Amino acid sequence: MMPLTMLNIGETGKIKRIGGNEETRRFLNNLGFVVGTEVSVVSAIGGNVIVNIKDSRVAINEDMAKRIMV
């Protein structure tokens, strides 16, 4: 298990755990980051990560991406 930030561009992983406080987990859940969901990295610029998840493209900052374990 490793944070989402460790995936290279083009790699795909399955979400295994989401850390952080309740508010952070709820925010990520609303964006589609749910345990068991496939996520692929499209781009990573300056720590910010753009991912494909559930047929959507979502940008999250490095702090949020570090809380998502794949």
Side-chain angles (χ1 to χ4, degrees), residues 3-6 24 28 43-50 59-69:
L4 182 61
T5 54
M6 298 295 286
T24 301
L28 289 170
S43 173
I45 302 168
N48 297 324
V49 182
I50 300 172
I60 55 174
N61 66 25
E62 184 177 18
D63 189 45
M64 292 278 185
K66 285 181 179 176
R67 299 188 192 308
I68 301 168
M69 296 293 169

PDB file of all heavy atoms in Angstrom, residues 3-6 24 28 43-50 59-69:
ATOM      1  N   PRO A   3       0.820   5.851  -0.974  1.00  0.00           N
ATOM      2  CA  PRO A   3      -0.047   7.001  -1.266  1.00  0.00           C
ATOM      3  C   PRO A   3      -0.209   7.205  -2.772  1.00  0.00           C
ATOM      4  O   PRO A   3       0.662   6.822  -3.567  1.00  0.00           O
ATOM      5  CB  PRO A   3       0.675   8.185  -0.627  1.00  0.00           C
ATOM      6  CG  PRO A   3       2.011   7.710  -0.222  1.00  0.00           C
ATOM      7  CD  PRO A   3       2.036   6.225  -0.284  1.00  0.00           C
ATOM      8  N   LEU A   4      -1.295   7.806  -3.162  1.00  0.00           N
ATOM      9  CA  LEU A   4      -1.597   8.086  -4.561  1.00  0.00           C
ATOM     10  C   LEU A   4      -0.478   8.882  -5.232  1.00  0.00           C
ATOM     11  O   LEU A   4      -0.214   8.715  -6.414  1.00  0.00           O
ATOM     12  CB  LEU A   4      -2.924   8.852  -4.646  1.00  0.00           C
ATOM     13  CG  LEU A   4      -3.456   9.206  -6.020  1.00  0.00           C
ATOM     14  CD1 LEU A   4      -3.709   7.950  -6.840  1.00  0.00           C
ATOM     15  CD2 LEU A   4      -4.719  10.025  -5.908  1.00  0.00           C
ATOM     16  N   THR A   5       0.211   9.714  -4.474  1.00  0.00           N
ATOM     17  CA  THR A   5       1.286  10.537  -5.028  1.00  0.00           C
ATOM     18  C   THR A   5       2.449   9.702  -5.554  1.00  0.00           C
ATOM     19  O   THR A   5       3.256  10.194  -6.337  1.00  0.00           O
ATOM     20  CB  THR A   5       1.828  11.530  -3.976  1.00  0.00           C
ATOM     21  OG1 THR A   5       2.198  10.810  -2.802  1.00  0.00           O
ATOM     22  CG2 THR A   5       0.805  12.578  -3.623  1.00  0.00           C
ATOM     23  N   MET A   6       2.558   8.429  -5.148  1.00  0.00           N
ATOM     24  CA  MET A   6       3.655   7.562  -5.581  1.00  0.00           C
ATOM     25  C   MET A   6       3.397   6.909  -6.949  1.00  0.00           C
ATOM     26  O   MET A   6       4.314   6.368  -7.551  1.00  0.00           O
ATOM     27  CB  MET A   6       3.918   6.465  -4.544  1.00  0.00           C
ATOM     28  CG  MET A   6       4.342   6.987  -3.194  1.00  0.00           C
ATOM     29  SD  MET A   6       5.923   7.832  -3.236  1.00  0.00           S
ATOM     30  CE  MET A   6       7.008   6.436  -3.403  1.00  0.00           C
ATOM     31  N   THR A  24     -12.357  15.577   5.656  1.00  0.00           N
ATOM     32  CA  THR A  24     -11.535  15.261   4.484  1.00  0.00           C
ATOM     33  C   THR A  24     -12.044  14.009   3.793  1.00  0.00           C
ATOM     34  O   THR A  24     -12.184  13.978   2.567  1.00  0.00           O
ATOM     35  CB  THR A  24     -10.061  15.065   4.900  1.00  0.00           C
ATOM     36  OG1 THR A  24      -9.593  16.261   5.524  1.00  0.00           O
ATOM     37  CG2 THR A  24      -9.189  14.745   3.704  1.00  0.00           C
ATOM     38  N   LEU A  28     -13.531  13.789  -0.077  1.00  0.00           N
ATOM     39  CA  LEU A  28     -12.991  12.880  -1.090  1.00  0.00           C
ATOM     40  C   LEU A  28     -14.045  11.885  -1.559  1.00  0.00           C
ATOM     41  O   LEU A  28     -14.124  11.560  -2.743  1.00  0.00           O
ATOM     42  CB  LEU A  28     -11.757  12.150  -0.542  1.00  0.00           C
ATOM     43  CG  LEU A  28     -10.519  13.030  -0.368  1.00  0.00           C
ATOM     44  CD1 LEU A  28      -9.436  12.282   0.403  1.00  0.00           C
ATOM     45  CD2 LEU A  28      -9.992  13.498  -1.712  1.00  0.00           C
ATOM     46  N   SER A  43      -1.927  13.392 -14.679  1.00  0.00           N
ATOM     47  CA  SER A  43      -0.877  14.401 -14.643  1.00  0.00           C
ATOM     48  C   SER A  43      -0.533  14.714 -13.193  1.00  0.00           C
ATOM     49  O   SER A  43      -1.367  14.579 -12.301  1.00  0.00           O
ATOM     50  CB  SER A  43      -1.386  15.668 -15.345  1.00  0.00           C
ATOM     51  OG  SER A  43      -0.476  16.724 -15.210  1.00  0.00           O
ATOM     52  N   ALA A  44       0.717  15.123 -12.986  1.00  0.00           N
ATOM     53  CA  ALA A  44       1.160  15.544 -11.651  1.00  0.00           C
ATOM     54  C   ALA A  44       2.072  16.751 -11.836  1.00  0.00           C
ATOM     55  O   ALA A  44       3.157  16.631 -12.379  1.00  0.00           O
ATOM     56  CB  ALA A  44       1.886  14.420 -10.946  1.00  0.00           C
ATOM     57  N   ILE A  45       1.593  17.914 -11.413  1.00  0.00           N
ATOM     58  CA  ILE A  45       2.356  19.156 -11.587  1.00  0.00           C
ATOM     59  C   ILE A  45       2.479  19.853 -10.233  1.00  0.00           C
ATOM     60  O   ILE A  45       1.482  20.199  -9.611  1.00  0.00           O
ATOM     61  CB  ILE A  45       1.655  20.093 -12.588  1.00  0.00           C
ATOM     62  CG1 ILE A  45       1.483  19.394 -13.931  1.00  0.00           C
ATOM     63  CG2 ILE A  45       2.434  21.395 -12.740  1.00  0.00           C
ATOM     64  CD1 ILE A  45       0.567  20.107 -14.887  1.00  0.00           C
ATOM     65  N   GLY A  46       3.700  20.040  -9.792  1.00  0.00           N
ATOM     66  CA  GLY A  46       3.934  20.754  -8.533  1.00  0.00           C
ATOM     67  C   GLY A  46       3.250  20.138  -7.334  1.00  0.00           C
ATOM     68  O   GLY A  46       2.830  20.855  -6.442  1.00  0.00           O
ATOM     69  N   GLY A  47       3.111  18.831  -7.331  1.00  0.00           N
ATOM     70  CA  GLY A  47       2.467  18.166  -6.200  1.00  0.00           C
ATOM     71  C   GLY A  47       0.981  17.959  -6.403  1.00  0.00           C
ATOM     72  O   GLY A  47       0.388  17.079  -5.787  1.00  0.00           O
ATOM     73  N   ASN A  48       0.353  18.787  -7.239  1.00  0.00           N
ATOM     74  CA  ASN A  48      -1.067  18.599  -7.528  1.00  0.00           C
ATOM     75  C   ASN A  48      -1.233  17.438  -8.495  1.00  0.00           C
ATOM     76  O   ASN A  48      -0.424  17.250  -9.393  1.00  0.00           O
ATOM     77  CB  ASN A  48      -1.670  19.872  -8.122  1.00  0.00           C
ATOM     78  CG  ASN A  48      -1.614  21.022  -7.140  1.00  0.00           C
ATOM     79  OD1 ASN A  48      -1.770  20.831  -5.944  1.00  0.00           O
ATOM     80  ND2 ASN A  48      -1.370  22.205  -7.645  1.00  0.00           N
ATOM     81  N   VAL A  49      -2.281  16.664  -8.301  1.00  0.00           N
ATOM     82  CA  VAL A  49      -2.481  15.439  -9.086  1.00  0.00           C
ATOM     83  C   VAL A  49      -3.825  15.512  -9.808  1.00  0.00           C
ATOM     84  O   VAL A  49      -4.831  15.868  -9.206  1.00  0.00           O
ATOM     85  CB  VAL A  49      -2.452  14.197  -8.170  1.00  0.00           C
ATOM     86  CG1 VAL A  49      -2.611  12.928  -8.967  1.00  0.00           C
ATOM     87  CG2 VAL A  49      -1.169  14.160  -7.357  1.00  0.00           C
ATOM     88  N   ILE A  50      -3.819  15.174 -11.093  1.00  0.00           N
ATOM     89  CA  ILE A  50      -5.055  15.054 -11.857  1.00  0.00           C
ATOM     90  C   ILE A  50      -5.258  13.576 -12.136  1.00  0.00           C
ATOM     91  O   ILE A  50      -4.357  12.907 -12.645  1.00  0.00           O
ATOM     92  CB  ILE A  50      -4.995  15.849 -13.171  1.00  0.00           C
ATOM     93  CG1 ILE A  50      -4.772  17.330 -12.883  1.00  0.00           C
ATOM     94  CG2 ILE A  50      -6.277  15.652 -13.982  1.00  0.00           C
ATOM     95  CD1 ILE A  50      -4.502  18.173 -14.114  1.00  0.00           C
ATOM     96  N   ALA A  59      -8.984  17.003 -10.091  1.00  0.00           N
ATOM     97  CA  ALA A  59      -7.697  17.524  -9.631  1.00  0.00           C
ATOM     98  C   ALA A  59      -7.751  17.666  -8.112  1.00  0.00           C
ATOM     99  O   ALA A  59      -8.707  18.213  -7.569  1.00  0.00           O
ATOM    100  CB  ALA A  59      -7.415  18.882 -10.271  1.00  0.00           C
ATOM    101  N   ILE A  60      -6.721  17.137  -7.449  1.00  0.00           N
ATOM    102  CA  ILE A  60      -6.624  17.285  -5.994  1.00  0.00           C
ATOM    103  C   ILE A  60      -5.208  17.725  -5.644  1.00  0.00           C
ATOM    104  O   ILE A  60      -4.267  17.457  -6.392  1.00  0.00           O
ATOM    105  CB  ILE A  60      -6.982  15.977  -5.247  1.00  0.00           C
ATOM    106  CG1 ILE A  60      -6.124  14.810  -5.728  1.00  0.00           C
ATOM    107  CG2 ILE A  60      -8.456  15.671  -5.371  1.00  0.00           C
ATOM    108  CD1 ILE A  60      -6.319  13.542  -4.941  1.00  0.00           C
ATOM    109  N   ASN A  61      -5.080  18.394  -4.516  1.00  0.00           N
ATOM    110  CA  ASN A  61      -3.748  18.862  -4.117  1.00  0.00           C
ATOM    111  C   ASN A  61      -2.947  17.723  -3.487  1.00  0.00           C
ATOM    112  O   ASN A  61      -3.466  16.652  -3.191  1.00  0.00           O
ATOM    113  CB  ASN A  61      -3.840  20.083  -3.206  1.00  0.00           C
ATOM    114  CG  ASN A  61      -4.483  19.797  -1.873  1.00  0.00           C
ATOM    115  OD1 ASN A  61      -4.479  18.672  -1.392  1.00  0.00           O
ATOM    116  ND2 ASN A  61      -5.040  20.829  -1.264  1.00  0.00           N
ATOM    117  N   GLU A  62      -1.667  17.970  -3.302  1.00  0.00           N
ATOM    118  CA  GLU A  62      -0.750  16.942  -2.804  1.00  0.00           C
ATOM    119  C   GLU A  62      -1.168  16.438  -1.424  1.00  0.00           C
ATOM    120  O   GLU A  62      -1.083  15.245  -1.136  1.00  0.00           O
ATOM    121  CB  GLU A  62       0.668  17.514  -2.755  1.00  0.00           C
ATOM    122  CG  GLU A  62       1.716  16.511  -2.339  1.00  0.00           C
ATOM    123  CD  GLU A  62       3.123  17.080  -2.356  1.00  0.00           C
ATOM    124  OE1 GLU A  62       3.282  18.313  -2.362  1.00  0.00           O
ATOM    125  OE2 GLU A  62       4.069  16.284  -2.356  1.00  0.00           O
ATOM    126  N   ASP A  63      -1.635  17.336  -0.564  1.00  0.00           N
ATOM    127  CA  ASP A  63      -2.035  16.950   0.786  1.00  0.00           C
ATOM    128  C   ASP A  63      -3.179  15.929   0.757  1.00  0.00           C
ATOM    129  O   ASP A  63      -3.153  14.945   1.492  1.00  0.00           O
ATOM    130  CB  ASP A  63      -2.436  18.200   1.585  1.00  0.00           C
ATOM    131  CG  ASP A  63      -2.656  17.909   3.044  1.00  0.00           C
ATOM    132  OD1 ASP A  63      -1.814  17.202   3.640  1.00  0.00           O
ATOM    133  OD2 ASP A  63      -3.664  18.381   3.590  1.00  0.00           O
ATOM    134  N   MET A  64      -4.160  16.166  -0.105  1.00  0.00           N
ATOM    135  CA  MET A  64      -5.283  15.224  -0.237  1.00  0.00           C
ATOM    136  C   MET A  64      -4.803  13.909  -0.854  1.00  0.00           C
ATOM    137  O   MET A  64      -5.192  12.834  -0.407  1.00  0.00           O
ATOM    138  CB  MET A  64      -6.376  15.815  -1.133  1.00  0.00           C
ATOM    139  CG  MET A  64      -7.070  16.987  -0.548  1.00  0.00           C
ATOM    140  SD  MET A  64      -8.335  16.468   0.593  1.00  0.00           S
ATOM    141  CE  MET A  64      -9.052  18.032   0.979  1.00  0.00           C
ATOM    142  N   ALA A  65      -3.944  14.004  -1.879  1.00  0.00           N
ATOM    143  CA  ALA A  65      -3.472  12.797  -2.572  1.00  0.00           C
ATOM    144  C   ALA A  65      -2.672  11.890  -1.630  1.00  0.00           C
ATOM    145  O   ALA A  65      -2.710  10.673  -1.764  1.00  0.00           O
ATOM    146  CB  ALA A  65      -2.620  13.197  -3.774  1.00  0.00           C
ATOM    147  N   LYS A  66      -1.965  12.473  -0.676  1.00  0.00           N
ATOM    148  CA  LYS A  66      -1.180  11.669   0.268  1.00  0.00           C
ATOM    149  C   LYS A  66      -2.066  10.868   1.218  1.00  0.00           C
ATOM    150  O   LYS A  66      -1.639   9.883   1.797  1.00  0.00           O
ATOM    151  CB  LYS A  66      -0.255  12.572   1.097  1.00  0.00           C
ATOM    152  CG  LYS A  66       0.947  13.066   0.316  1.00  0.00           C
ATOM    153  CD  LYS A  66       1.819  13.925   1.184  1.00  0.00           C
ATOM    154  CE  LYS A  66       3.038  14.409   0.420  1.00  0.00           C
ATOM    155  NZ  LYS A  66       3.861  15.329   1.211  1.00  0.00           N
ATOM    156  N   ARG A  67      -3.318  11.271   1.384  1.00  0.00           N
ATOM    157  CA  ARG A  67      -4.236  10.573   2.276  1.00  0.00           C
ATOM    158  C   ARG A  67      -4.918   9.379   1.602  1.00  0.00           C
ATOM    159  O   ARG A  67      -5.532   8.559   2.256  1.00  0.00           O
ATOM    160  CB  ARG A  67      -5.311  11.535   2.784  1.00  0.00           C
ATOM    161  CG  ARG A  67      -4.742  12.691   3.580  1.00  0.00           C
ATOM    162  CD  ARG A  67      -5.825  13.495   4.223  1.00  0.00           C
ATOM    163  NE  ARG A  67      -5.477  14.770   4.803  1.00  0.00           N
ATOM    164  CZ  ARG A  67      -4.523  15.022   5.665  1.00  0.00           C
ATOM    165  NH1 ARG A  67      -3.739  14.069   6.050  1.00  0.00           N
ATOM    166  NH2 ARG A  67      -4.329  16.226   6.159  1.00  0.00           N
ATOM    167  N   ILE A  68      -4.803   9.300   0.267  1.00  0.00           N
ATOM    168  CA  ILE A  68      -5.438   8.213  -0.487  1.00  0.00           C
ATOM    169  C   ILE A  68      -4.412   7.120  -0.722  1.00  0.00           C
ATOM    170  O   ILE A  68      -3.406   7.330  -1.383  1.00  0.00           O
ATOM    171  CB  ILE A  68      -5.987   8.741  -1.829  1.00  0.00           C
ATOM    172  CG1 ILE A  68      -7.009   9.852  -1.581  1.00  0.00           C
ATOM    173  CG2 ILE A  68      -6.607   7.595  -2.626  1.00  0.00           C
ATOM    174  CD1 ILE A  68      -7.379  10.625  -2.814  1.00  0.00           C
ATOM    175  N   MET A  69      -4.654   5.953  -0.141  1.00  0.00           N
ATOM    176  CA  MET A  69      -3.728   4.827  -0.268  1.00  0.00           C
ATOM    177  C   MET A  69      -4.225   3.866  -1.341  1.00  0.00           C
ATOM    178  O   MET A  69      -5.397   3.501  -1.377  1.00  0.00           O
ATOM    179  CB  MET A  69      -3.623   4.075   1.060  1.00  0.00           C
ATOM    180  CG  MET A  69      -3.041   4.885   2.178  1.00  0.00           C
ATOM    181  SD  MET A  69      -1.328   5.261   1.849  1.00  0.00           S
ATOM    182  CE  MET A  69      -1.004   6.460   3.119  1.00  0.00           C
TER     183      MET A  69
END
